[in-house]
Amino acid sequence: MSSRVTILYCTQCQWLLRASWMAQELLSTFGQELGEVALIPGTGGVFRIAVDGEQIWDRKEQDGFPEITVLKQLVRDRVSPDRDLGHSDRKA
């Protein structure tokens, strides 16, 4: 079964570009594992990412936006735990 990622972003903060870039990165990396990446407009400084309804990132709780490598690891852990992400899995 394919997974669904949702990215709830603040339109007041103009975070559509950031949300769509993250969606593009996830679809490029997990094209076979993801059935959908939905961009959901919101307000009030919100930026939350969920996989199959389980929240994996909240900008307010984590005090910022995820690095793309961290986001890919969080998504991978839910949709394809055994998958090697190559350079994204290597520590700096």
Side-chain angles (χ1 to χ4, degrees), residues 27-89:
L27 286 167
S28 294
T29 301
F30 302 103
Q32 300 300 310
E33 293 90 353
L34 298 180
E36 177 181 9
V37 176
L39 300 179
I40 304 170
T43 57
V46 68
F47 197 91
R48 289 189 205 115
I49 303 169
V51 178
D52 296 328
E54 178 187 354
Q55 183 174 296
I56 62 169
W57 193 271
D58 184 311
R59 185 192 65 82
K60 290 180 181 177
E61 289 177 10
Q62 272 90 359
D63 198 29
F65 298 96
E67 293 292 327
I68 197 63
T69 55
V70 170
L71 179 58
K72 287 180 180 183
Q73 290 167 351
L74 291 169
V75 171
R76 182 270 318 270
D77 292 347
R78 280 144 186 92
V79 304
S80 186
D82 297 329
R83 182 172 178 175
D84 179 12
L85 290 175
H87 68 277
S88 293
D89 274 339

